[in-house]
Amino acid sequence: MYKLITQSNYYKEDLLEVIARNREKDLNKIKNPSISETIHYSNLCKIENAVNATLHYSKKYTKVGIVVDSDADGYTSASELFSYLEINFPSFDLLYYIHPEKEHGITDDVVKWCLDNNIELLYTPDAGSNDFENHKTLAEQNILVIAIDHHEVSGEPTHAIVINSQLSQTYDNKQFSGVGIVYKFLQALDEALNIQDADNYLDLVAVGNIADSMDISEPETRYYVYEGLKKLKNPLLKEMIFQFIGKWDKVNPQSLSYDLIPKINGCIRFGTMEEKEDLFEAMIGHNEGVMYENTKARNEKNKWETFLQKATRQAKNAHSRQNTAKKKWLGVLKERIEEENLNSGAIIAVTIAKKEKFNSTLTGLVASSLVDVYSKPVLVLREIGEELIGSLRGYDPMSLDTKALLEKTGLFNWLQGHANACGVSINKDKLPLLKDEFMKYVSFSTEQKEMLVDFVLSEQQMGRFIIENIHSHKKYWTKGFEEPMFAITDLNVDFNTVKVSSGGKVDWEINGVTYTQFTTSKELANLAGTSQKAIMDVVGVASVNEFQGKTTYQFEVKEYKIKHIEEFTKKGFGFIF
């Protein structure tokens, strides 16, 4: 069930040194990110062309469009660019386009919007690199496209200026998201204009990279993330931090990932068009001092709110609506997977019929939750005619690039996005072939699934002291330098004390530590509340959870194995092996 990465002793070795060794990272660079690790913007291909084009169009009144891509990286990228151009290019008449659904790049609706609004120059931050046909369509209408992006590109763009780290051989950092590449473009504009404005948006750079699950152990990315968190300026981010995190000293990549960024994404997925527009307007600093009446307030004290408070409240509410819908569909699809035996191979592909009322913005979110349940890659696919379109979410312990494995099968019409999180299209008649084709390219056994752990401890050793130590290093834990993974052996579990919440969470307490499984297995759910007892090994991560003034020392169970169970009978207890 688990495998120790390297021989380690929690009591004799420094915690961070063990994690750095196991993650194969330079601990000094982790603890002390340096500006010397940054890469000059000139290493990005086409950036000089984009700067020259921008300066050329700025010589006259120009209608400029910015496409706001449908995720947190897209919103931070677009707001960073919009704010910079609004301040420094007064000749630009700036308009922005927000996708009505969770779409990406230059869709046909974007083309129509450009034509309807007489756009002459179109920026697509964090998107647009692969939209070759619509590059050409817009070019034929004398509309220049400048894509500023970090996603993989499937060809050579010829009808647009595309700044993209994936196309830039001398820009080694491929773990810098769209908002980071936009920042580099602004650095180049700074130099051309002899000003210093780009650094005013480093807080957006930090949040966008964390939100897009970039590897924050990459030295350049880490430097900009931690610099951005030192220089929080964006009014909406500051309001959201106040509402969702509370204290400035608690702001770090983990707290942003768990407490703030999901609210932004929730609004993007489940907000009304007005709520999405309010979110973006607040992020670019518009209407900051305007007061609004909250018609849904329950008391006079909360009847009036600022625009920032309004946008923050709406994001929180949209996130809540999203979670309610996610919970419903997670249950539906788990049942479908079990009934149709879709869990028998190395990848799960579950389809949703056109007649089912499924909100497409949930596709990736539900896929991620299913990965947590089944510990393997998951495709959630929606039926559109003879085509199935949806999202892939990979499982890192199996492969860091599931997208590449799927491309090798030759079954897909397209796969676009990141290595373990991307959009997909496959024809219905090819889906039955996927299970066997995928197995040709991946080594997988349902019986020999091992999780890599940093430490192995006993039930008696895992306690509050260890969890407090992990919590004290919280500012360091990021994608690429994750918190320690523990295996706890020989846990004595009395299932009479195990509780299952209405939300599906299971937990029990041993030695002051609450062991929790957020996505409960059917086995544990059935055992909970019974008079049975068991000896188990569990694998997971430990943390301090603070909520409404209550502190919980928590161990999140990722995997478990019941070594033996004590079955109660009328004659007493007896072990079953």
Side-chain angles (χ1 to χ4, degrees):
M1 185 182 73
Y2 63 85
K3 180 180 179 182
L4 193 60
I5 300 172
T6 61
Q7 289 299 317
S8 59
N9 187 314
Y10 184 86
Y11 299 99
K12 293 183 179 180
E13 294 185 87
D14 179 80
L15 174 64
L16 291 181
E17 288 180 0
V18 174
I19 301 305
R21 181 177 75 226
N22 288 349
R23 309 292 182 269
E24 299 181 346
K25 304 297 181 183
D26 183 327
L27 183 55
N28 183 54
K29 290 183 179 181
I30 292 294
K31 296 174 74 172
N32 304 293
S34 170
I35 194 172
S36 65
E37 301 292 347
T38 61
I39 304 170
H40 195 267
Y41 63 76
S42 60
N43 287 281
L44 287 165
C45 64
K46 305 295 182 181
I47 197 165
E48 185 177 347
N49 305 57
V51 169
N52 290 337
T54 300
L55 296 175
H56 171 75
Y57 277 91
S58 71
K59 293 176 182 177
K60 62 180 181 66
Y61 170 84
T62 303
K63 276 210 163 185
V64 176
I66 295 177
V67 178
V68 184
D69 207 51
S70 299
D71 58 22
D73 189 27
Y75 270 61
T76 51
S77 299
S79 62
E80 173 190 22
L81 180 61
F82 190 103
S83 298
Y84 184 97
L85 296 179
E86 186 176 47
I87 293 169
N88 299 301
F89 290 85
S91 63
F92 283 175
D93 182 3
L94 292 166
L95 300 174
Y96 59 83
Y97 178 90
I98 293 178
H99 294 286
E101 304 292 337
K102 198 174 184 301
E103 299 164 294
H104 301 280
I106 308 173
T107 62
D108 291 343
D109 286 339
V110 170
V111 172
K112 183 178 184 301
W113 174 81
C114 288
L115 297 176
D116 290 345
N117 288 279
N118 299 313
I119 299 296
E120 300 172 69
L121 174 61
L122 181 69
Y123 292 95
T124 61
D126 190 40
S129 293
N130 285 293
D131 299 324
F132 304 136
E133 288 186 18
N134 281 337
H135 291 169
K136 183 178 180 182
T137 299
L138 291 171
E140 289 171 347
Q141 299 296 322
N142 295 316
I143 300 171
L144 175 64
V145 173
I146 298 179
I148 312 171
D149 197 8
H150 72 120
H151 294 99
E152 293 181 0
V153 187
S154 57
E156 188 66 33
T158 56
H159 293 91
I161 297 174
V162 177
I163 308 169
N164 191 311
S165 54
Q166 303 295 335
L167 295 172
S168 306
Q169 292 184 359
T170 59
Y171 200 92
D172 297 332
N173 181 10
K174 308 303 181 185
Q175 291 294 326
F176 209 27
S177 71
V179 70
I181 306 304
V182 172
Y183 168 73
K184 291 292 178 177
F185 175 56
L186 302 190
Q187 280 189 319
L189 287 174
D190 266 4
E191 185 166 321
L193 297 172
N194 195 28
I195 61 173
Q196 291 184 331
D197 189 31
D199 283 0
N200 288 320
Y201 309 100
L202 277 175
D203 52 356
L204 292 169
V205 174
V207 170
N209 273 280
I210 296 167
D212 223 38
S213 296
M214 293 294 100
D215 184 343
I216 311 298
S217 68
E218 175 66 38
E220 180 186 42
T221 305
R222 194 171 189 86
Y223 171 77
Y224 284 125
V225 165
Y226 282 88
E227 282 301 299
L229 297 186
K230 292 177 191 174
K231 302 172 181 177
L232 290 162
K233 295 184 176 184
N234 186 273
L236 177 64
L237 293 184
K238 289 167 74 174
E239 179 65 31
M240 286 187 156
I241 287 168
F242 174 72
Q243 294 287 347
F244 302 139
I245 298 176
K247 296 182 180 179
W248 299 108
D249 61 357
K250 291 185 177 180
V251 177
N252 55 59
Q254 270 201 344
S255 64
L256 290 167
S257 294
Y258 293 140
D259 300 324
L260 188 150
I261 291 167
K263 311 299 192 301
I264 295 175
N265 280 326
C267 188
I268 296 167
R269 287 192 187 97
F270 249 69
T272 64
M273 182 55 76
E274 180 183 351
E275 289 170 338
K276 294 178 190 179
E277 289 173 352
D278 283 351
L279 180 71
F280 187 71
E281 286 282 323
M283 201 174 282
I284 59 178
H286 288 185
N287 303 320
E288 186 176 346
V290 180
M291 298 295 292
Y292 288 83
E293 184 177 8
N294 180 3
T295 57
K296 297 181 180 179
R298 295 182 180 179
N299 55 59
E300 194 68 26
K301 181 182 177 181
N302 298 324
K303 188 172 183 179
W304 292 92
E305 60 188 355
T306 66
F307 184 63
L308 295 175
Q309 290 170 334
K310 178 188 177 188
T312 300
R313 173 177 56 80
Q314 290 176 165
K316 180 181 178 180
N317 292 343
H319 177 249
S320 179
R321 297 195 302 271
Q322 168 202 274
N323 283 351
T324 299
K326 183 189 84 167
K327 179 182 173 182
K328 170 195 167 184
W329 279 100
L330 186 58
V332 169
L333 296 185
K334 281 170 64 178
E335 188 174 324
R336 189 167 300 172
I337 289 167
E338 301 301 327
E339 287 178 350
E340 298 179 14
N341 194 30
L342 300 177
N343 188 28
S344 59
I347 189 169
I348 292 172
V350 58
T351 60
I352 300 169
K354 188 175 182 180
K355 64 183 180 181
E356 296 181 87
K357 294 180 179 179
F358 178 76
N359 188 320
S360 62
T361 63
L362 285 171
T363 310
L365 195 66
V366 173
S368 294
S369 295
L370 290 171
V371 170
D372 292 339
V373 175
Y374 295 103
S375 301
K376 63 179 66 175
V378 173
L379 290 160
V380 174
L381 303 166
R382 295 174 289 112
E383 183 184 76
I384 301 177
E386 293 303 308
E387 192 177 7
L388 297 169
I389 293 178
S391 295
L392 161 75
R393 292 297 182 268
Y395 179 59
D396 285 358
M398 180 187 292
S399 172
L400 295 176
D401 194 347
T402 309
K403 176 171 168 277
L405 298 179
L406 293 180
E407 285 171 340
K408 288 180 181 180
T409 68
L411 297 175
F412 289 81
N413 301 320
W414 50 260
L415 297 110
Q416 294 184 357
H418 299 297
N420 264 346
C422 68
V424 305
S425 166
I426 186 172
N427 291 341
K428 285 182 185 179
D429 60 350
K430 292 186 177 178
L431 186 62
L433 306 174
L434 176 61
K435 179 180 172 181
D436 290 339
E437 286 297 315
F438 187 70
M439 283 296 292
K440 294 177 182 178
Y441 304 103
V442 64
S443 174
F444 176 79
S445 170
T446 56
E447 301 302 322
Q448 298 176 343
K449 183 170 58 180
E450 290 186 324
M451 295 194 71
L452 299 177
V453 301
D454 299 290
F455 300 98
V456 179
L457 300 176
S458 68
E459 174 189 293
Q460 292 75 26
Q461 289 173 315
M462 173 51 71
R464 293 183 176 185
F465 172 77
I466 288 177
I467 297 177
E468 285 173 348
N469 186 35
I470 295 165
H471 186 69
S472 71
H473 294 91
K474 191 173 182 178
K475 67 179 181 180
Y476 297 115
W477 310 136
T478 63
K479 177 75 179 289
F481 197 77
E482 293 83 359
E483 66 267 54
M485 186 75 73
F486 288 90
I488 312 299
T489 61
D490 296 334
L491 273 179
N492 290 278
V493 180
D494 180 351
F495 283 103
N496 190 44
T497 67
V498 176
K499 301 174 183 177
V500 181
S501 71
S502 59
K505 181 182 76 168
V506 63
D507 57 47
W508 67 93
E509 186 175 326
I510 299 176
N511 297 335
V513 177
T514 300
Y515 290 81
T516 300
Q517 190 181 47
F518 287 103
T519 309
T520 308
S521 70
K522 188 180 293 186
E523 182 181 33
L524 288 188
N526 289 337
L527 286 168
T530 69
S531 57
Q532 293 173 301
K533 298 180 180 180
I535 295 177
M536 299 169 57
D537 290 347
V538 298
V539 173
V541 294
S543 63
V544 174
N545 182 26
E546 296 170 326
F547 183 68
Q548 295 182 343
K550 182 181 178 182
T551 299
T552 303
Y553 295 87
Q554 181 174 282
F555 188 95
E556 181 184 349
V557 177
K558 303 285 189 180
E559 292 288 345
Y560 72 91
K561 180 180 180 181
I562 296 178
K563 298 169 82 169
H564 50 258
I565 191 164
E566 196 176 48
E567 185 79 55
F568 179 77
T569 68
K570 289 182 179 180
K571 296 180 180 179
F573 290 96
F575 280 110
I576 298 176
F577 294 89

